[in-house]
Amino acid sequence: MSYPDMALDVLALIEREHLQRPLVIGHSMGGKTAMALALEHPQAIGGLAVIDIAPEPYADQFSPYVTAMRGLDVAAATSRKEVQHALAHSLGGDAPVDFLMQNLRRHDERFDWRLNLLAVAVCMQDLCGFPEQWMRERYGGPALFVAGTDSDYVRPESHAGIGRLFPRARLEHIAHAGHWVHADQPEALLRALRGWLREARASRPARPLPALATS
């Protein structure tokens, strides 16, 4: 589970759906996947929008979530509420339990997690990082970086790295939004994305470009 591998997954989807250089939008890990796709396969996309993440390594804040999720016997649970209460008890009051619960599904009359928690745990260092070899690459297409003003994921010192790898990047801030910009300020984020999409499409006189979101 690495960003180059996930970028290849998105590339395979683009090819399977016969998309013509779509505009790719990604949040957090999806944003790093979008950056990987742009830097390694620039010919495949027409532009990218990255939500509240920068091309740099981060400290691991997520292993406690993965550990708590793996520690629950969700197959024995009788309801989603039971799992939610157990997860909240394990993680404490400030954890994004509602977001984590989106990964819970009922499968064959039992609950399980949608994602491969073991793979996430094993690859967490890679997922928090940013490959050094990408620092020598450049993506010259349209790029939008959106940051929440209440988030510390895109800091002032991040701007130079963004500009170096994505020289056409535009940076916008969404007021009163944390890392989950799409949950905190959905309408403001949509306005920013729609404005950028219009500009990105107008800069390409060829056929209309579809938009593809990753997360």
Side-chain angles (χ1 to χ4, degrees):
M1 188 176 182
S2 70
Y3 290 114
D5 288 331
M6 289 187 282
L8 287 175
D9 288 341
V10 180
L11 180 62
L13 175 64
I14 291 171
E15 293 174 346
R16 189 186 74 198
E17 299 298 323
H18 306 291
L19 302 178
Q20 300 298 316
R21 302 189 67 206
L23 300 167
V24 179
I25 304 169
H27 167 259
S28 196
M29 188 171 76
K32 282 193 173 181
T33 301
M35 287 188 271
L37 181 64
L39 294 170
E40 294 199 336
H41 309 281
Q43 75 289 346
I45 67 171
L48 80 159
V50 177
I51 315 301
D52 210 62
I53 201 78
E56 60 191 44
Y58 290 85
D60 176 12
Q61 303 177 38
F62 300 103
S63 286
Y65 301 159
V66 176
T67 300
M69 293 165 75
R70 293 183 67 196
L72 298 181
D73 185 7
V74 296
T78 58
S79 68
R80 292 183 63 87
K81 189 171 291 294
E82 178 184 343
V83 177
Q84 184 172 9
H85 286 165
L87 195 58
H89 177 75
S90 176
L91 290 172
D94 295 332
V97 173
D98 289 344
F99 282 102
L100 299 177
M101 285 294 297
Q102 293 179 21
N103 294 290
L104 186 71
R105 66 177 178 180
R106 183 179 286 276
H107 182 68
D108 292 336
E109 303 304 318
R110 298 192 306 175
F111 288 106
D112 68 1
W113 297 109
R114 296 178 185 275
L115 70 170
N116 186 337
L117 288 171
L118 178 59
V120 174
V122 169
C123 299
M124 184 62 75
Q125 183 174 355
D126 289 337
L127 296 176
C128 292
F130 195 79
E132 184 67 29
Q133 68 267 22
W134 291 348
M135 296 301 184
R136 299 185 293 272
E137 303 295 335
R138 299 289 184 276
Y139 174 71
L144 172 70
F145 281 74
V146 178
T149 59
D150 297 339
S151 170
D152 60 358
Y153 274 76
V154 181
R155 302 161 298 156
E157 51 266 42
S158 305
H159 299 176
I162 292 171
R164 187 165 56 249
L165 273 62
F166 304 95
R168 292 179 60 187
R170 188 175 86 203
L171 178 63
E172 292 197 18
H173 290 87
I174 304 294
H176 311 299
H179 182 55
W180 284 276
V181 183
H182 52 289
D184 294 338
Q185 297 293 336
E187 291 303 321
L189 176 60
L190 285 174
R191 283 195 299 271
L193 289 173
R194 285 169 178 154
W196 175 77
L197 287 169
R198 285 192 296 269
E199 293 177 11
R201 286 182 166 130
S203 70
R204 309 254 333 155
R207 71 184 68 185
L209 298 172
L212 177 68
T214 67
S215 59

